[in-house]
Amino acid sequence: MFNYLRKRFTSHIRERSRRKARLVSKDGRCNIEFGNVEQSRFVFLIDIWTTILDLRWRYKMTIFISAFLGSWFLFGLLWYVVAYIHKDLPEFNPSINHTPCVENINGLTSAFLFSLETQVTIGYGFRCVTEQCATAIFLLIFQSILGVIINSFMCGAILAKISRSKNRAKTITFSKNAVISKRGGKLCLLIRVANLRKSLLIGSHIYGKLLKTTITPEGETIILDQVNIEFVVDAGNENLFFISPLTIYHIIDKNSPFFHMAAETILQQDFELVVFLDGTVEATSATCQVRTSYIPEEVLWGYRFAPIVSKTKEGKYRVDFQNFSKTVAVETPHCAFCLYNEKEAKAKEKKGYDNPGFVLSEVSETSDTKM
């Protein structure tokens, strides 16, 4: 009993770890990390725009706040230094006729407030630059220009982050499982995909990659070897009219990597099917890519998807997403090879065959009737 429970527990842990060891998660995130990268991390600063866009929101907002507070405080120190050198501060006891570089700067706090007012251009009601110091005028111009650059970069990064097509991909959903059944007299692997928005994806194109470990004839082991998987709908796999859920399918023929799999052996296979959907967002004209993956446990042999589109009494088409991933068991050949042989056998039954050993002999009829 103990050995049985141990085996079940070990197999459960193995199956659980196998489910987690997938390159692409169901929501499209890639499970991969880079180690021992020889290049310095400073190379990411060369493409600072992409680096900022790829950061998570908490890091981006930290940089956003730090950039403004840091620049305000830095220029506040510079304004304080200008006032200190020109002896405008109260501790120098300036005379009544003394003209300061910046009026009403009495310390570091007031210098910080003047720096903030200068960079955000909210106007000067109490503190302002005079024409007494060329250094102060130059510093005012420099801070104004740098402030515009910081505002443009940081606000542009926030806007670009919000409007990224990656968020549009969240409204494209795939079925939880893939199914294998007959479609049009052929054995097919079917997946359902839906657009949750009424706006279309223009120029949509769908395809797949089968990831598996292969061993070459030379003995080299290739991990994550990629095999192209062609998916189509009845109208093709490009320029999809993606207004309602579509059922895409891959025909399992002799050129398909699923041809030698069977209902009894598919769970013992080690592969990951990654499905991609590329398109252009109608509202922003930005391209986006949606992806998901299926492992052998998520491929159901002998099932088809339940219908979800119906027509109401008012003449509208209604999509019931409650049945979006629901499957129904159907009669299906247990392997593509069997279906292929069955079709060949039926085709041969309809044909005639020549028997080379058959010899036609003519028999002459004689009449020996006696009267």
Side-chain angles (χ1 to χ4, degrees):
M1 183 66 181
F2 178 75
N3 293 332
Y4 173 77
L5 293 177
R6 185 177 62 181
K7 290 181 180 178
R8 290 297 301 268
F9 179 77
T10 304
S11 62
H12 175 73
I13 295 298
R14 188 182 299 111
E15 289 292 333
R16 187 175 179 180
S17 62
R18 184 181 178 185
R19 291 190 182 99
K20 290 184 178 180
R22 57 198 307 165
L23 179 64
V24 180
S25 61
K26 298 296 289 184
D27 58 355
R29 298 182 180 180
C30 295
N31 180 26
I32 191 171
E33 64 179 20
F34 299 100
N36 299 325
V37 180
E38 296 181 357
Q39 293 182 344
S40 174
R41 293 187 179 272
F42 288 103
V43 297
F44 294 99
L45 296 178
I46 299 176
D47 188 13
I48 186 64
W49 179 254
T50 305
T51 302
I52 293 294
L53 290 183
D54 289 339
L55 289 177
R56 296 185 178 182
W57 274 109
R58 54 179 177 267
Y59 302 124
K60 184 184 293 293
M61 295 307 300
T62 301
I63 295 176
F64 182 85
I65 296 173
S66 300
F68 283 102
L69 289 180
S71 61
W72 295 340
F73 184 73
L74 176 62
F75 280 100
L77 289 177
L78 295 178
W79 287 116
Y80 179 80
V81 171
V82 170
Y84 184 85
I85 295 175
H86 198 253
K87 297 182 179 181
D88 298 335
L89 300 176
E91 54 263 29
F92 293 104
N93 297 319
S95 62
I96 299 176
N97 298 326
H98 178 78
T99 303
C101 293
V102 181
E103 293 184 353
N104 299 309
I105 287 187
N106 302 319
L108 186 59
T109 303
S110 57
F112 175 79
L113 292 176
F114 179 75
S115 173
L116 188 151
E117 293 173 0
T118 300
Q119 192 161 329
V120 299
T121 63
I122 60 177
Y124 305 105
F126 186 64
R127 283 172 287 271
C128 62
V129 177
T130 65
E131 57 186 15
Q132 184 68 24
C133 301
T135 305
I137 297 175
F138 173 79
L139 185 60
L140 176 66
I141 296 173
F142 182 72
Q143 184 178 3
S144 300
I145 295 175
L146 185 62
V148 172
I149 295 175
I150 295 177
N151 289 337
S152 301
F153 184 86
M154 299 308 301
C155 294
I158 294 295
L159 181 61
K161 181 75 172 179
I162 295 175
S163 60
R164 289 186 74 178
S165 56
K166 182 179 180 180
N167 297 325
R168 177 63 175 91
K170 297 182 183 298
T171 55
I172 304 295
T173 181
F174 289 88
S175 58
K176 181 180 179 181
N177 297 304
V179 298
I180 294 179
S181 59
K182 291 177 64 177
R183 187 183 182 93
K186 300 177 182 179
L187 192 64
C188 300
L189 184 142
L190 301 97
I191 296 173
R192 180 171 278 174
V193 58
N195 179 15
L196 302 181
R197 290 185 180 272
K198 291 185 178 181
S199 59
L200 299 177
L201 282 180
I202 304 173
S204 300
H205 173 65
I206 195 160
Y207 57 96
K209 299 286 184 181
L210 187 69
L211 308 178
K212 60 180 181 178
T213 301
T214 59
I215 301 177
T216 63
E218 295 78 16
E220 179 186 2
T221 302
I222 302 177
I223 301 177
L224 298 180
D225 186 23
Q226 300 183 15
V227 180
N228 289 327
I229 301 295
E230 294 293 335
F231 282 98
V232 296
V233 293
D234 293 334
N237 64 341
E238 294 184 356
N239 299 323
L240 306 178
F241 186 49
F242 205 8
I243 194 64
S244 64
L246 298 175
T247 300
I248 60 174
Y249 59 92
H250 164 71
I251 300 175
I252 303 178
D253 53 13
K254 291 184 177 181
N255 298 322
S256 171
F258 295 95
F259 184 76
H260 298 287
M261 299 183 188
E264 298 84 3
T265 62
I266 190 170
L267 294 179
Q268 284 75 42
Q269 302 293 327
D270 185 14
F271 66 84
E272 180 178 353
L273 176 61
V274 184
V275 184
F276 302 87
L277 174 63
D278 297 339
T280 303
V281 181
E282 186 179 25
T284 61
S285 298
T287 58
C288 72
Q289 182 183 87
V290 194
R291 52 186 177 266
T292 189
S293 69
Y294 300 91
I295 56 178
E297 290 80 2
E298 297 170 344
V299 179
L300 306 180
W301 196 295
Y303 288 84
R304 64 173 175 83
F305 290 110
I308 60 173
V309 180
S310 60
K311 196 171 184 179
T312 62
K313 296 180 180 180
E314 293 80 11
K316 294 183 178 181
Y317 292 93
R318 183 176 183 273
V319 179
D320 185 9
F321 280 95
Q322 185 177 0
N323 296 332
F324 180 73
S325 295
K326 186 178 180 180
T327 57
V328 180
V330 292
E331 183 179 355
T332 305
H334 76 283
C335 65
F337 187 74
C338 299
L339 178 63
Y340 181 78
N341 288 343
E342 180 183 351
K343 285 186 176 181
E344 281 193 345
K346 289 182 179 179
K348 289 180 180 179
E349 288 180 359
K350 298 180 181 180
K351 296 180 180 179
Y353 295 90
D354 293 332
N355 185 0
F358 178 78
V359 178
L360 178 62
S361 60
E362 298 182 356
V363 180
S364 60
E365 295 183 358
T366 58
S367 178
D368 295 335
T369 304
K370 293 182 179 180
M371 296 301 293

